[in-house]
Amino acid sequence: MISMRANSGWKGAFLVVALSATAILVYGGYTLKAASERRAAAIAIAGGEPDNGPALLARYGCRGCHAIPGVAGAGNRVGPPLNGLGDSVYIAGVVPNTPDNLVRWIEKPHEVDPRTAMPATGISKSEARDVAAYLYSLR
């Protein structure tokens, strides 16, 4: 026969597991909602499709110089890491961080700063908008 004390221990353990699972689900739901809201805002301000960003960042070699969340093989430190770009005041330290300036920087960096080490990749304006939307969606 199980004593009340042993039974009470199982109830306590179950309660801890249930509360932990609930907290994980609530936090996970909050995280998904926040990511969804960031994505929607990024689309609205940059006019691009953030889902295309990782493939474009890989195709145009951005991962060769930058650490970029969500882009395989992007861990280099030649250029700055690109997470949190939406919170930066300036792009490349030279122009205010606006969607138009970011698209211009991605597309034609030497027009923004002739002395930059960032290469012109040949990315189109439409693709640059997708990359900008992706970068603005990151936190």
Side-chain angles (χ1 to χ4, degrees):
M1 177 179 248
I2 300 175
S3 71
M4 286 298 281
R5 186 173 254 183
N7 194 19
S8 174
W10 282 102
K11 286 181 183 177
F14 176 77
L15 183 60
V16 168
V17 169
L19 289 173
S20 297
T22 301
I24 290 168
L25 290 172
V26 168
Y27 176 75
Y30 172 78
T31 302
L32 288 174
K33 182 179 178 193
S36 175
E37 289 171 355
R38 281 193 311 274
R39 183 182 183 284
I43 291 169
I45 63 171
E49 176 51 60
D51 292 345
N52 297 336
L56 292 168
L57 287 158
R59 181 186 320 154
Y60 285 102
C62 306
R63 65 184 174 185
C65 295
H66 298 280
I68 314 165
V71 178
N76 294 310
R77 297 281 190 224
V78 175
L82 298 181
N83 61 318
L85 183 81
D87 296 328
S88 297
V89 175
Y90 291 98
I91 297 166
V94 294
V95 293
N97 187 352
T98 68
D100 287 340
N101 282 344
L102 180 56
V103 169
R104 188 168 151 236
W105 172 255
I106 293 166
E107 185 184 13
K108 299 176 182 178
H110 293 101
E111 284 185 9
V112 176
D113 181 3
R115 296 179 3 190
T116 186
M118 184 162 149
T121 63
I123 193 169
S124 72
K125 180 172 236 140
S126 173
E127 292 170 323
R129 287 199 179 285
D130 290 347
V131 168
Y134 179 71
L135 295 175
Y136 280 140
S137 74
L138 299 175
R139 288 279 185 244

